[in-house]
Amino acid sequence: QQQVKQSPQSLIVQKGGIPIINCAYENTAFDYFPWYQQFPGKGPALLIAIRPDVSEKKEGRFTISFNKSAKQFSLHIMDSQPGDSATYFCAASILGNNLFFGTGTRLTVIP
Amino acid sequence: GAGVSQSPSNKVTEKGKDVELRCDPISGHTALYWYRQSLGQGLEFLIYFQGNSAPDKSGLPSDRFSAERTGGSVSTLTIQRTQQEDSAVYLCASIKDRAGNGYTFGSGTRLTVV
């Protein structure tokens, strides 16, 4: 059973566009929601994370929006660049416990 | 070291053979995780080590899979009698402690069973 559902599976945007990746979860006990970025041949790297006490968190061009009542959260990448082309994973956990990952979104930013 | 180191980076093995995958976590990190990444399947939790506590093996897919962590540092994931469905990237991650934020992943071992 997939604890965290992620969509879309792949996404292609033009440079400067704003790709949005969505995730949904069922376990209301989850209280930590990170996003990871993975380049080919590398392990995932933590990009940004949010706790459920806030509805939005922004770090540079990356923003997480969090909707606790809908049990959904999303990643927005502002002014996307070709260097942002990577696979993005959302995840969720009860802080201090195992992370459950989404299935990933392959993002391609066209110059 | 500065990061999580995994070896080998690639491994091709024949069906039925045993393989060992190694992970060197960040020095001082007490928690270590193994995940498996299959195409289109995301990251699947396998096993977790925290200090001297008994490991959480709840994610191991079968009794052909085992892992150990020696001296609270280096970990080895062993797959016995490999099957083609074991082909995947095996990722190791460490974290300073369980209350910390964010795993640091290694680059993984790509295992191909032929």
Side-chain angles (χ1 to χ4, degrees):
Chain A
Q1 181 184 359
Q2 193 72 31
Q3 295 267 2
V4 179
K5 296 181 180 179
Q6 182 172 349
S7 64
Q9 187 174 1
S10 64
L11 190 54
I12 301 174
V13 299
Q14 295 277 355
K15 177 183 174 182
I18 305 176
I20 301 172
I21 305 170
N22 300 299
C23 286
Y25 63 97
E26 287 297 325
N27 188 345
T28 55
F30 286 153
D31 60 1
Y32 176 63
F33 303 89
W35 285 88
Y36 282 79
Q37 179 188 55
Q38 185 179 30
F39 294 105
K42 300 293 185 183
L46 179 64
L47 189 62
I48 186 173
I50 197 168
R51 300 294 302 277
D53 52 347
V54 296
S55 60
E56 185 175 281
K57 183 173 181 180
K58 186 174 182 179
E59 288 186 5
R61 296 184 293 107
F62 300 91
T63 299
I64 300 179
S65 298
F66 185 80
N67 185 331
K68 188 174 181 178
S69 61
K71 293 184 289 186
Q72 295 175 346
F73 58 110
S74 59
L75 177 70
H76 302 231
I77 305 176
M78 306 301 177
D79 186 28
S80 58
Q81 301 297 312
D84 297 329
S85 297
T87 299
Y88 292 82
F89 292 94
C90 62
S93 75
I94 301 169
L95 186 62
N97 290 279
N98 307 333
L99 279 173
F100 293 94
F101 286 86
T103 51
T105 297
R106 178 171 288 187
L107 172 66
T108 303
V109 181
I110 300 171
Chain B
V4 177
S5 177
Q6 291 189 246
S7 60
S9 56
N10 282 283
K11 176 73 176 179
V12 180
T13 190
E14 292 182 351
K15 178 182 173 181
K17 300 284 189 182
D18 298 351
V19 295
E20 284 189 352
L21 312 179
R22 178 186 167 103
C23 173
D24 282 278
I26 293 173
S27 178
H29 279 198
T30 60
L32 185 149
Y33 293 81
W34 283 97
Y35 280 81
R36 178 167 69 176
Q37 184 174 22
S38 303
L39 190 63
Q41 298 297 316
L43 283 79
E44 175 190 7
F45 165 73
L46 297 177
I47 189 169
Y48 158 78
F49 296 90
Q50 170 66 55
N52 295 319
S53 302
D56 176 356
K57 304 178 183 180
S58 60
L60 294 178
S62 77
D63 59 7
R64 296 186 296 105
F65 287 73
S66 63
E68 62 177 19
R69 190 178 184 193
T70 55
S73 180
V74 172
S75 177
T76 302
L77 176 69
T78 301
I79 308 173
Q80 295 179 308
R81 305 180 303 281
T82 52
Q83 304 294 313
Q84 288 186 327
E85 61 263 28
D86 299 335
S87 296
V89 175
Y90 289 83
L91 290 161
C92 173
S94 73
I95 190 168
K96 186 174 182 180
D97 57 61
R98 242 194 159 180
N101 297 325
Y103 299 177
T104 300
F105 281 92
S107 294
T109 294
R110 180 175 294 277
L111 175 67
T112 303
V113 182
V114 297

